[in-house]
Amino acid sequence: MPRADFYLIDKPRFRADPLLLVCELAKKAFAGEQPTLILVRSRDQAEALDEKLWEFDENAFIPHQIVGDGEDDAITAVLIVPPDATTPDRVLVINLRDECAPGLFERVLEVIPADEAERAGSRERWKTYKAAGFEVAKHDM
């Protein structure tokens, strides 16, 4: 059964820097040898996340790149996918967008901002995943 985990940003360190939570999730996925797509909202967010993945933990190395920035998309562990890019499906998706993650995957991690107004769409995504037969869970971060 596919699974959708909703990570609600609440802790001060993630409120101050939401991409830090994304980096932590990508680090855990890489350690678990799960090829991962990170669906970002914009090219600017893709570049910010690319930079953050290099610097957030001096003891961590997470092979990653923005889709199309090299010829290694197929073998790179973590691919950052702006809205204007496409890539083959992967087992795990980290979704930062306002709509449900497209494609076929076993698990999606929905990163939900702390701002209550920005959480409204997450409730609809929860319902959509649930109706599609996903096991759904919430985590306060």
Side-chain angles (χ1 to χ4, degrees):
M1 170 183 287
R3 180 178 168 136
D5 289 282
F6 285 71
Y7 290 85
L8 305 176
I9 293 177
D10 191 42
K11 294 179 182 172
R13 73 184 187 122
F14 295 137
R15 279 180 180 258
D17 189 359
L19 290 182
L20 182 58
L21 174 57
V22 178
C23 291
E24 293 291 344
L25 294 172
K27 178 180 171 183
K28 188 173 180 181
F30 176 65
E33 299 180 358
Q34 294 182 303
T36 304
L37 297 178
I38 303 176
L39 306 179
V40 294
R41 295 172 180 259
S42 66
R43 176 64 66 170
D44 287 344
Q45 188 178 47
E47 291 170 3
L49 180 57
D50 180 44
E51 189 172 314
K52 177 68 71 180
L53 281 165
W54 285 115
E55 64 187 32
F56 87 101
D57 182 343
E58 64 185 37
N59 297 316
F61 172 69
I62 303 164
H64 70 279
Q65 68 184 33
I66 297 172
V67 169
D69 277 0
E71 296 177 14
D72 299 331
D73 283 359
I75 61 169
T76 301
V78 175
L79 290 177
I80 302 167
V81 187
D84 61 348
T86 59
T87 188
D89 295 331
R90 294 219 171 162
V91 174
L92 179 67
V93 175
I94 299 173
N95 189 26
L96 307 182
R97 298 181 188 167
D98 291 329
E99 59 276 344
C100 288
L104 299 173
F105 46 84
E106 293 176 17
R107 189 166 178 210
V108 60
L109 310 180
E110 290 276 342
V111 177
I112 311 303
D115 183 271
E116 190 59 38
E118 293 180 30
R119 287 188 177 187
S122 68
R123 291 179 183 94
E124 288 306 311
R125 290 193 304 279
W126 178 288
K127 291 177 192 174
T128 302
Y129 289 125
K130 189 110 173 128
F134 282 67
E135 179 182 332
V136 209
K138 176 181 84 81
H139 311 276
D140 291 320
M141 302 302 290

